[in-house]
Amino acid sequence: MIKKFIRRILGVKSKADSPNKPVQLGPKEHGIDPQLLSPNAVRVTQTLQEAGFKAFVVGGAVRDLLLGVKPKDFDVATNATPEQVKRLFRRAFIIGRRFQIVHVMFGQEIIEVTTFRGASSEGALKDEHGRVLRDNTFGEQHEDAIRRDFTINAMYYDPASQTVLDYHNGIPDIRNRTLRIIGVPEARYREDPVRLLRVVRFAAKLNFNIDPATREPIQVMAPLINNVPAARVFDEMLKLLMSGHALACLQQLRKEGLHHGLLPLLDVVLEQPLGEKFVRLALAGTDQRVQEGKPVSPGFLFAALLWHQVLEKWHAYQAAGEYPIPALHLAADDVLNTQTEKLALQRKIASDMRDIWAMQPRFERRVGKSPYKMLEHLRLRAGYDFLLLRCASGEISEEIGQWWTEFIDADGPGREALLARKPKIDGEAQPAKKRRRRSRSKHKDAAAGGDVA
Ligand code: ATP
Ligand code: MG
C-alpha cells in the first residue's frame, strides 16, 4: 500500500503486473563487451556472490558499457551490509558520509561497494526546503533503483550471467540518447538539488537530449542549490570540470539558465568578457588532458577560472596606491574569500591557486637571480603553463612565454645569453608593458624576494 503510494508520488510507471520486476537483457540484446569490464569489479561481484549475496555492477559503469565506452570507474551494488562486505576483502574500508559505503582497494583501483538503499525518502530527515538530510535505510534492489537519479544510471549488470537488469526503461533512453530523471522531476530536485548540476553534466558529457519534463523545472528550482552544503557542491562542480567535457558543460549550464547568481564561480566564469578567451583555452586544455588520460590539477583549473577576477582586483588595488605584490595578495584573498562561502575549496587547492597566481609577476622579472630562483620553484611547471595561457589569450606578450620556454630548456651559458638579451618591449600588449615597468620598482623586488622564502 505504502509502496504503491510512493510509486504514485514519484510518478513511476508500473510495468505489467509486477512493478518491481526489471526488464532482463542477455548478452545478445545488450551487446556489452566483457573486455571493457574491470577484472577487479568482476572479482568483487564474484566474491560477494560466492558468499551468498547479490552483487551487480551499477550506475555510470553500466551506462558507459552500454554505450561501448570504457568506464572510468566501477561501482558495485549489493544486498550485503557494509560490515559483511568489509569482512570479505583484505583491503576494504567503510567510508561514511551521508550513506555508508565500502571502498575495496586493488592497488590504484578502488571499487566502490554500496548496499541497496531503501525506497522511501518519506520518513527521511529533511530541511525546510525538502532536501533529504539523512537517510540510511537499506532495501531491496528495486528500491535502490528508484532512488537513483536518471533512468540510464539505474541499470545493474551481473558479470557472471552477463545479464542487464533495467527497472526504469534505461535501455530505450540509452538508445534514444535521452536523459530522463526517475520519478517526478520537481520532487527529485527538491530532495537533492545537486541533481540539477548532474543533469547538465550528463547531458553535455554524453551529448544526450534532456527530456522536456526533466528540463522544465531546472531554471525555477536552481536557487535550491544554495541550501546544499558547499562541500557537496564543490564535489559535483569538480566532477563537471574534470569530466573531459568542461567546456560543453559550461555552455550547457548557460543554456539551462544556471549561470545567474547560482554560484559566484559560475558568474565569474561565464560572464567575464575579458577573461572568456582565457577560460576557454584553459578548459579546452583541461578537456584534452582528461581525454588523453593525463592528470589534471584542480588547483590549476580553479586558478585559471578565477584569474580574470584576480586581475581586475589586482589592478584596482594598484590604482588605489598598493604596490604590485601586496596588491596581488590582497586580490587573491578577496577572490578566495568570496568563493569559499559557496564553494568549499579545499585548503590544498586554495594554496595551489595562490602559488600559481603569485608566480605570475615574477615571470615578468627577467633580471639578476630572479629567473634562477623561479627554476627552483616547486610549482614551476604549473606556473609556466599558466603563463603560456596568459600569452595565448593575448593578455600578455607571446615573447615572455617564448623567453621562458627557451630559458627553461637552455644550459648555463644559454641562460646567461638569454638574460643578457634585452626583452623586446615594442609591440607588446599594453597591460604587460605597464606591469613590467611597475615590476622594476624597488618595493616589488623586496616583496618578490620575500615570497620565495
Ligand atoms: P561518472 O561516470 O561521471 O562517474 P556516474 O553515473 O558513475 O557518472 P557518480 O557520481 O559516480 O556518477 O554516481 C554513481 C551512481 O550513483 C549514479 O550513476 C547514480 O545511479 C547514483 N547517484 C549519484 N549521485 C546521485 C544523486 N545525487 N541522486 C541519485 N542518484 C545518484
Ligand atoms: Mg562514477
Side-chain angles (χ1 to χ4, degrees):
M1 179 68 192
I2 292 177
K3 280 184 188 159
K4 213 162 151 192
F5 174 71
I6 294 163
R7 270 199 305 278
R8 207 166 39 141
I9 296 276
L10 291 177
V12 176
K13 281 188 222 103
S14 298
K15 276 189 218 95
D17 303 336
S18 178
N20 301 338
K21 283 265 180 322
V23 172
Q24 295 204 19
L25 290 95
K28 286 217 181 71
E29 294 155 301
H30 59 63
I32 287 179
D33 174 4
Q35 303 271 32
L36 294 178
L37 272 142
S38 145
N40 292 325
V42 178
R43 206 163 295 154
V44 170
T45 52
Q46 196 179 348
T47 306
L48 282 160
Q49 288 170 356
E50 280 167 7
F53 298 108
K54 289 185 181 172
F56 300 84
V57 172
V58 69
V62 182
R63 175 197 71 219
D64 291 347
L65 288 168
L66 287 165
L67 291 168
V69 176
K70 195 175 169 61
K72 68 173 166 43
D73 45 40
F74 286 81
D75 297 328
V76 167
T78 178
N79 62 349
T81 63
E83 283 297 336
Q84 288 169 325
V85 175
K86 186 175 153 64
R87 260 179 259 135
L88 289 172
F89 300 94
R90 204 164 49 84
R91 297 192 62 223
F93 306 93
I94 297 184
I95 314 287
R97 260 212 264 165
R98 274 173 16 123
F99 191 78
Q100 280 200 329
I101 55 176
V102 185
H103 278 178
V104 183
M105 324 274 285
F106 299 90
Q108 291 288 308
E109 188 176 7
I110 299 176
I111 306 292
E112 211 169 275
V113 185
T114 44
T115 306
F116 295 146
R117 291 194 186 192
S120 168
S121 59
E122 295 297 294
L125 186 65
K126 293 181 184 166
D127 73 3
E128 74 268 30
H129 305 282
R131 188 172 67 84
V132 173
L133 296 175
R134 216 175 308 120
D135 193 5
N136 270 354
T137 50
F138 299 137
E140 300 288 327
Q141 186 172 22
H142 67 269
E143 296 173 305
D144 184 80
I146 215 172
R147 294 285 304 271
R148 293 185 179 269
D149 46 8
F150 303 103
T151 59
I152 57 165
N153 281 350
M155 289 180 276
Y156 301 78
Y157 178 67
D158 173 13
S161 64
Q162 293 191 34
T163 316
V164 169
L165 305 187
D166 178 11
Y167 285 89
H168 296 285
N169 295 317
I171 293 277
D173 281 344
I174 287 258
R175 297 204 170 127
N176 299 324
R177 305 189 79 80
T178 302
L179 188 65
R180 188 191 315 273
I181 206 160
I182 296 171
V184 175
E186 285 85 350
R188 302 305 310 282
Y189 293 136
R190 198 169 285 285
E191 277 173 7
D192 184 6
V194 153
R195 290 174 186 147
L196 295 161
L197 293 173
R198 294 177 62 87
V199 176
V200 168
R201 171 159 68 95
F202 291 121
K205 172 178 155 167
L206 304 170
N207 197 13
F208 270 35
N209 298 311
I210 306 174
D211 164 65
T214 297
R215 161 176 277 146
E216 207 262 329
I218 293 180
Q219 200 165 356
V220 195
M221 300 195 85
L224 288 179
I225 295 190
N226 292 321
N227 307 317
V228 178
R232 267 204 86 212
V233 177
F234 176 78
D235 284 350
E236 209 53 51
M237 279 303 294
L238 201 57
K239 282 188 190 178
L240 189 146
L241 293 168
M242 309 277 236
S243 65
H245 303 267
L247 210 51
C249 283
L250 291 186
Q251 276 152 0
Q252 188 89 33
L253 278 172
R254 197 197 293 268
K255 197 166 144 202
E256 302 310 328
L258 281 178
H259 59 295
H260 278 296
L262 179 60
L263 293 172
L265 175 74
L266 293 180
D267 285 342
V268 175
V269 172
L270 295 169
E271 292 179 9
Q272 47 175 4
L274 286 176
E276 205 194 313
K277 186 164 181 204
F278 184 85
V279 165
R280 213 162 359 97
L281 287 170
L283 291 175
T286 305
D287 285 348
Q288 195 182 341
R289 286 186 69 90
V290 173
Q291 285 168 21
E292 286 169 359
K294 292 185 186 157
V296 274
S297 129
F300 184 89
L301 190 58
F302 283 103
L305 293 177
L306 295 171
W307 171 242
H308 272 258
Q309 200 182 31
V310 172
L311 257 190
E312 198 179 299
K313 289 182 192 282
W314 185 20
H315 291 157
Y317 275 116
Q318 290 181 79
E322 270 304 342
Y323 291 115
I325 295 292
L328 177 57
H329 285 285
L330 287 169
D333 286 344
D334 280 3
V335 169
L336 287 172
N337 288 340
T338 333
Q339 294 301 323
T340 39
E341 264 174 42
K342 287 277 172 63
L343 199 70
L345 282 171
Q346 291 142 18
R347 206 168 296 171
K348 166 83 172 71
I349 296 181
S351 107
D352 285 355
M353 292 164 73
R354 223 182 259 283
D355 279 352
I356 290 169
W357 291 334
M359 285 168 89
Q360 297 311 308
R362 297 175 54 197
F363 280 117
E364 293 175 41
R365 222 182 102 65
R366 289 173 283 167
V367 287
K369 291 205 168 32
S370 186
Y372 288 104
K373 283 191 182 158
M374 288 298 281
L375 291 182
E376 289 160 20
H377 201 294
L378 274 178
R379 304 216 189 294
L380 172 70
R381 189 75 220 178
Y384 162 74
D385 285 345
F386 199 88
L387 179 81
L388 293 186
L389 272 181
R390 295 175 62 210
C391 296
S393 68
E395 179 206 327
I396 54 171
S397 161
E398 292 274 5
E399 186 271 332
I400 301 182
Q402 279 157 13
W403 190 93
W404 273 98
T405 305
E406 288 176 44
F407 189 75
I408 291 169
D409 281 350
D411 55 9
R415 285 181 178 156
E416 283 305 307
L418 277 160
L419 277 171
R421 191 167 92 192
K422 188 174 169 291
K424 193 171 111 249
I425 292 194
D426 286 345
E428 277 191 3
Q430 203 53 29
K433 231 203 288 187
K434 269 198 223 146
R435 269 198 303 285
R436 171 120 12 95
R437 217 179 297 132
R438 280 198 205 102
S439 76
R440 294 207 178 104
S441 87
K442 228 162 72 192
H443 300 281
K444 167 160 181 169
D445 294 355
D451 206 38
V452 178

